[in-house]
Amino acid sequence: MYDQDNLFAKILRGEIPSTAVYDDEFAFAFNDINPQAPVHVLVIPRGAYIDMDDLTANGSDAEIAGFMRAVGHVARDVLGLADGGYRLLVNNGPDSNQEVPHLHIHIVGGRNLGPLMVK
Ligand code: AMP
């Protein structure tokens, strides 16, 4: 069950401030408050989806396509990361220790990120 009062729902409604980098019909992107690299942006769907499992099971084709296109657009055109490369990361559910129960894709880059760490 989606929690309408989760942190990112509040950010979408403008009840909690964020530093927006992109906004459209399907997605909203903002700087992570605790960046792990020179560039660390979170892209979230405008729809009420808990995680990737929820979006891919219950989202419309337009929502899924619009959201994924927004992720690419932000990385490429807004953040300028396409040439140097970047990492996308999605924590999904309890075993991943997902902290905020509204789907968010981390875009991380701006330096060599080393090997993927899975503790
Ligand atoms: P996850 O662990 O994948 O659920 O990621 C949650 C992310 O949200 C972390 O990287 C946090 O630093 C980030 N975060 C938490 N609160 C805020 C906030 N108010 N504004 C922006 N990012 C936040």
Side-chain angles (χ1 to χ4, degrees):
M1 186 80 157
Y2 182 83
D3 172 14
Q4 295 289 345
D5 285 328
N6 76 76
L7 182 62
F8 292 167
K10 291 180 177 176
I11 282 179
L12 271 178
R13 293 195 295 266
E15 296 167 9
I16 290 177
S18 64
T19 305
V21 301
Y22 182 71
D23 190 4
D24 72 15
E25 178 186 355
F26 295 108
F28 181 67
F30 55 101
N31 286 326
D32 195 292
I33 205 167
N34 183 25
Q36 303 298 307
V39 178
H40 188 168
V41 163
L42 303 175
V43 188
I44 66 177
R46 285 212 160 271
Y49 298 104
I50 297 170
D51 57 15
M52 192 62 90
D53 181 65
D54 188 13
L55 177 69
T56 55
N58 302 311
S60 68
D61 288 354
E63 286 177 306
I64 293 168
F67 178 60
M68 293 310 296
R69 283 205 184 276
V71 172
H73 172 65
V74 170
R76 182 176 52 251
D77 303 320
V78 179
L79 302 173
L81 294 175
D83 288 344
Y86 55 92
R87 181 169 291 157
L88 300 181
L89 189 146
V90 189
N91 287 319
N92 214 71
D95 277 355
S96 74
N97 294 305
Q98 179 181 357
E99 292 171 16
V100 182
H102 182 113
L103 172 60
H104 46 286
I105 294 187
H106 299 251
I107 302 177
V108 185
R111 65 166 167 79
N112 188 294
L113 298 166
L116 179 63
M117 297 298 290
V118 182
K119 284 189 284 185

